[in-house]
């Protein structure tokens, strides 16, 4: 592992440092992809100083496949050099206990995750989403229990509203288990967290690990000449071709000019932009090849922006009809 390759940032007011660029295993680590390719991406990540791997019980397909692959591929000698996360909440099996944030479901799904990961504990366990049908007190008491029973070192929430995040942080603090981190979506195409979530996280000392900072690949040069057959938009499961709109393409072309002037690719500019705010601890990228990952980590070579550059990015979004 090359620990000089990228900066490690403090996650909120905790003792935990995370790399500026982290790897997510949502796509590219399922049973449909060759194991050698998955191994190559994982080893490249480790070479690049990526110490933080984001997984969830559902990631695959099939459900659980990403955890099983990671469990198989992580060299055991590196266990204490990496941060492994998983999440629970989304449907995993039939019946009333197969989903949601009840104590009943969360304990069972994490125990199944640990078996697939071949680990005794995860470093961070997340509630993948809020569950309005389960009292928040029960949700956070379960997180506290997971830490106290050694199944997780830290806990986080994902896709929670600013108000529910503040409530969860307060309740967890009372229990003595701080809320480590929130995991929201954030990119140049989705700036919602700037409105109030980032302020709430700062106030409560909670870190922010953002997902889909490249908008699943839209904020790269991937789609400038059509939809490649091996792309996520061609696969069409979570990113559909209709999201590759003329407005998005116009924005990306404008970004390409701005990125070129900084000596960066569009993807590198998009990642550096998401990291410009020190309240963002880490960007969680996906990669379908080791080359993509290597190129993305190079974003950290130029994280500073001038006020003029930021204004030009905002103007380009507006010009493309994507903002204000
Ligand atoms: N908490 C949640 O609800 C939630 C939701 C979504 C994601 N996540 C987490 O966030 C992680 C990242 O999400 P994401 O995969 O959507 O992130 P992303 O980084 O926005 O998109 C990754 C995709 O963009 C393309 N790409 C990446 N680098 C590229 C480059 N340099 N040039 C061209 N194309 C490039 C690849 O698509 P191709 O396959 O087309 O090559 C890659 O699979 C997930 O793995 C997961 O851990 C969490």
């Amino acid at each position: 592992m090359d620990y000089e390759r990228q900066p490690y940032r403090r996650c909120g007011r905790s003792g935990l440092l995370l790399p500026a660029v982290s790897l997510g295993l949502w796509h590219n680590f399922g049973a449909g992809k060759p194991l050698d390719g998955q191994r190559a991406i994982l080893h490249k990540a480790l070479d690049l100083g990526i110490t933080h791997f984001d997984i969830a019980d559902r990631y695959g397909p099939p459900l659980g496949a990403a955890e099983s692959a990671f469990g198989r591929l992580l060299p055991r000698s590196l266990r204490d050099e990496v941060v492994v996360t998983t999440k629970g909440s989304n449907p995993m099996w039939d019946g009333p206990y197969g989903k949601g944030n009840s104590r009943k479901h969360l304990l069972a799904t994490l125990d199944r995750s640990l078996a697939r990961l071949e680990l005794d504990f995860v470093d961070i366990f997340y509630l993948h989403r809020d569950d309005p049908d389960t009292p928040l007190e029960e949700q956070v008491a379960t997180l506290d229990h997971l830490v106290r029973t050694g199944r997780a070192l830290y806990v986080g929430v994902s896709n929670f509203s600013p108000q529910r995040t503040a409530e969860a942080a307060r309740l967890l603090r009372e229990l003595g288990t701080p809320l480590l981190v929130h995991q929201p979506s954030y990119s140049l195409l989705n700036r919602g967290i700037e409105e109030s979530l980032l302020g709430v996280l700062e106030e409560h000392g909670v870190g922010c690990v953002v997902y889909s900072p490249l908008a699943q690949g839209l904020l790269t040069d991937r789609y400038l000449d059509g939809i490649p057959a091996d792309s996520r938009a061609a696969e069409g499961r979570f990113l559909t071709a209709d999201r590759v709109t003329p407005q998005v393409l116009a924005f990306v072309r404008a970004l390409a000019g701005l990125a070129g002037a900084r000596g960066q690719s569009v993807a590198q500019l998009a990642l550096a932009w998401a990291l410009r705010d020190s309240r963002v601890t880490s960007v969680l990228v996906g990669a379908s090849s080791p080359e993509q990952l290597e190129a993305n980590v190079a974003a950290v070579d130029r994280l500073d922006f001038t006020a003029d550059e930021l204004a030009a990015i905002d103007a380009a979004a507006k010009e493309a009809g994507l903002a204000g």
Side-chain angles (χ1 to χ4, degrees):
M1 265 205 220
D2 183 354
Y3 291 113
E4 303 302 315
R5 187 63 199 91
Q6 50 169 329
Y8 296 87
R9 296 178 161 199
R10 188 160 303 278
C11 191
R13 283 197 292 271
S14 77
L16 189 69
L17 298 176
L18 295 175
V21 179
S22 304
L23 179 66
L25 278 73
W26 178 30
H27 280 256
N28 310 309
F29 283 82
K33 312 273 173 152
L35 195 64
D36 282 350
Q38 300 176 41
R39 183 182 289 111
I41 294 170
L42 182 63
H43 284 192
K44 176 58 77 179
L46 294 168
D47 287 349
L48 291 166
I50 292 182
T51 54
H52 173 208
F53 297 92
D54 185 75
I55 321 178
D57 51 1
R58 272 185 75 81
Y59 292 173
L63 302 181
E67 290 178 329
S68 300
F70 190 81
R72 218 168 136 186
L73 294 172
L74 177 74
R76 294 292 122 179
S77 59
L78 293 180
R79 176 62 185 99
D80 294 335
E81 296 189 49
V82 294
V83 167
V84 183
T85 83
T86 195
K87 314 183 189 79
S89 184
N90 286 329
M92 285 300 288
W93 58 89
D94 290 342
Y97 319 119
K99 62 174 188 290
N101 293 358
S102 68
R103 184 181 182 91
K104 172 74 176 162
H105 173 67
L106 292 173
L107 280 165
T109 201
L110 177 54
D111 283 345
R112 291 183 188 205
S113 289
L114 291 172
R116 286 188 292 265
L117 289 162
E118 301 174 39
L119 296 177
D120 297 329
F121 64 91
V122 287
D123 298 282
I124 305 172
F125 180 77
Y126 283 97
L127 298 177
H128 209 151
R129 59 193 64 257
D130 197 355
D131 173 359
D133 298 326
T134 299
L136 194 56
E137 287 77 3
E138 179 176 339
Q139 302 187 44
V140 300
T142 305
L143 293 180
D144 176 60
H145 176 77
L146 296 177
V147 171
R148 289 183 193 279
T149 53
R151 291 171 168 98
L153 299 186
Y154 300 93
V155 291
V157 296
S158 180
N159 303 306
F160 269 52
S161 71
Q163 190 222 340
R164 296 277 283 181
T165 302
E167 269 182 70
R170 187 178 55 75
L171 290 169
L172 276 166
R173 201 161 40 240
E174 281 171 17
L175 293 170
T177 294
L179 180 63
L180 175 80
V181 63
H182 190 299
Q183 190 180 125
S185 172
Y186 184 52
S187 74
L188 274 162
L189 291 176
N190 179 9
R191 300 178 59 162
I193 67 170
E194 293 171 8
E195 207 172 295
S196 66
L197 183 65
L198 280 173
V200 166
L201 300 183
E202 186 175 30
E203 184 187 334
H204 290 271
V206 177
C208 182
V209 168
V210 304
Y211 71 78
S212 299
L214 299 175
Q216 300 199 53
L218 292 177
L219 289 167
T220 71
D221 58 9
R222 198 97 166 93
Y223 299 105
L224 287 179
D225 299 315
I227 297 181
D230 63 350
S231 66
R232 196 180 290 187
E235 193 186 355
R237 270 197 313 139
F238 291 98
L239 178 67
T240 43
D242 60 3
R243 302 254 317 266
V244 187
T245 61
Q247 289 90 335
V248 166
L249 292 174
F251 184 40
V252 171
R253 286 200 178 91
L255 291 178
L258 298 168
R262 288 167 49 88
Q264 289 186 316
S265 67
V266 174
Q268 288 163 350
L269 175 138
L271 297 175
W273 178 89
L275 286 163
R276 78 199 182 289
D277 187 325
S278 59
R279 294 173 297 182
V280 173
T281 316
S282 180
V283 290
L284 271 180
V285 299
S288 59
S289 68
E291 292 75 23
Q292 278 185 355
L293 193 57
E294 187 154 26
N296 293 345
V297 168
V300 304
D301 296 340
R302 180 88 202 268
L303 289 179
D304 57 301
F305 283 87
T306 64
D308 284 351
E309 285 173 327
L310 292 174
I313 290 169
D314 292 350
K318 207 166 178 182
E319 174 81 6
L322 291 168

